[in-house]
Amino acid sequence: MHRAQELLRACVHCGFCNATCPTYILTGDEREGPRGRLYLMKDLLAGTAPGADLEPLSHCLSCRSCETTCPAGVHYSEILDTVREHTEGERSRTERALDRLSIAALSARRPLAAIMGGARRLRPFIPQALKQRVLGSSEGLEWPVARHARRVGLLVGCVQPALRPDLDIKAALVLDRLGISAQRVGPGCCGALPFHLHAHDEGRSTALATLAWAKTGDWEGFTSTASGCTAFLKDYPRLFQGTKAADGAQAFAATVTDIAAWIDPAHLPRLSERQRHRIAWHAPCSLQHALKEAGRVEIILRALGHTLVPVADSALCCGSAGPYSLRHPRWATALGRRKWQSLTGADPEMVVTANIGCQQHLAHHGDRPIHHWLDLVYDALTNPDKADRG
């Protein structure tokens, strides 16, 4: 808590952060922007705001766009996490119960996988508006045998294997073609799901289990096909600062990179004119604001021959934000609609993103195909006929 109070002193209250805050842009309410939340958090930490309304803190998407914008370098997300943990006991029983229900529902991999498997079998009969939310299966795909000197640990997530059981396998096959063996790592969840739903101790326990897994193999580094998970792995040092696990978390985080960093654009095929597309690229907040990796995937897509159309307000969140879209559907829907309008303003043939949550959320608003960028790389490397997506 002392560190959060120190970090708060960096804020000069200029308000630049509000210009890129999704909730402030939606409402125009100072309380729903980073500056207003920082004032509230300062009072909460000082103990001068008894009975204060905590809803503005709940409404924050933790997109970290304000950190990218802030000229003073305020570590807003770290302050917010500290205050949320500090005030957990002051939240209503209903709010806490809903958080627990969300964690239970999203972390139940087998039931969720069974539901999605049934949906895939019924996909031909599903209304067109819902088909994009029923994503690909792993049928016909096999994880490649580890055969290369270079090896990377690929985190197996919690929700993604149910929603997109094919994606990690496709990633492993892509890396195999490029001379890198990807191996499954982890107990499942990286810890982000419970941590962002106020179950901070559970999030840390899950993160500790992942750190233990990381010591069991000889990997050059670690990554994930979900940029949200990668960003949380990279944040492990912050979770464990001042604890016995701090050094291990720091060493682990130093080896974590976005999966795009493992793909050399020079080794990718150049697609024929027929196979190239006009793409609207949606960089998830976790990729551009947390990982600071904006630009890397764009280089890969252009190396394949695709054209990236301009996207207005590309720094703004789509409203998915992990479990946020379940807990705050009204806000998430408004942001999703706004983002879809921005993405399709230049009339692209498809939308491409880097995070399963964003893909699912945007598909709800979409009138054209939306893919994970690894889908396009996989098709170009392993099945050129399928590279002609649409």
Side-chain angles (χ1 to χ4, degrees), residues 17-213:
C17 52
N18 284 344
T20 57
C21 174
T23 51
Y24 179 82
I25 289 171
L26 278 182
T27 66
D29 188 339
E30 179 73 16
R31 294 170 300 175
E32 296 293 353
R35 182 170 60 181
R37 291 188 181 112
L38 285 168
Y39 276 122
L40 172 60
M41 291 190 284
K42 181 179 180 181
D43 291 341
L44 288 168
L45 289 175
T48 59
D53 181 9
L54 301 180
E55 278 296 291
L57 303 186
S58 175
H59 293 158
C60 178
L61 294 106
S62 297
C63 68
R64 299 171 72 166
S65 178
C66 56
E67 293 185 9
T68 299
T69 309
C70 179
V74 175
H75 295 275
Y76 172 87
S77 58
E78 184 174 348
I79 301 168
L80 178 63
D81 286 342
T82 301
V83 174
R84 280 176 168 172
E85 190 165 5
H86 178 66
T87 58
E88 173 60 16
E90 300 175 34
R91 300 170 68 237
S92 70
R93 290 184 179 180
T94 301
E95 286 291 315
R96 284 180 279 176
L98 287 172
D99 284 344
R100 293 308 312 173
L101 183 61
S102 298
I103 293 171
L106 291 171
S107 60
R109 290 175 60 180
R110 288 185 179 179
L112 187 57
I115 292 169
M116 293 306 299
R120 289 185 194 97
R121 288 190 289 273
L122 295 173
R123 195 173 189 275
F125 311 104
I126 293 175
Q128 190 64 36
L130 296 177
K131 281 187 176 180
Q132 280 220 87
R133 304 199 78 182
V134 181
L135 303 175
S137 74
S138 58
E139 186 177 350
L141 296 174
E142 292 187 9
W143 200 282
V145 175
R147 61 194 179 99
H148 302 291
R150 297 191 67 193
R151 298 192 177 189
V152 59
L154 187 62
L155 178 79
V156 178
C158 48
V159 179
Q160 183 169 282
L163 299 180
R164 286 279 327 252
D166 62 320
L167 190 55
D168 284 344
I169 304 176
K170 285 183 175 179
L173 290 167
V174 165
L175 292 173
D176 181 67
R177 287 293 185 101
L178 298 174
I180 302 167
S181 289
Q183 296 177 284
R184 295 181 180 92
V185 175
C189 182
C190 62
L193 176 62
F195 193 85
H196 290 149
L197 284 169
H198 300 88
H200 300 94
D201 289 341
E202 184 178 338
R204 288 191 181 92
S205 295
T206 307
L208 281 173
T210 302
L211 288 174
W213 264 88

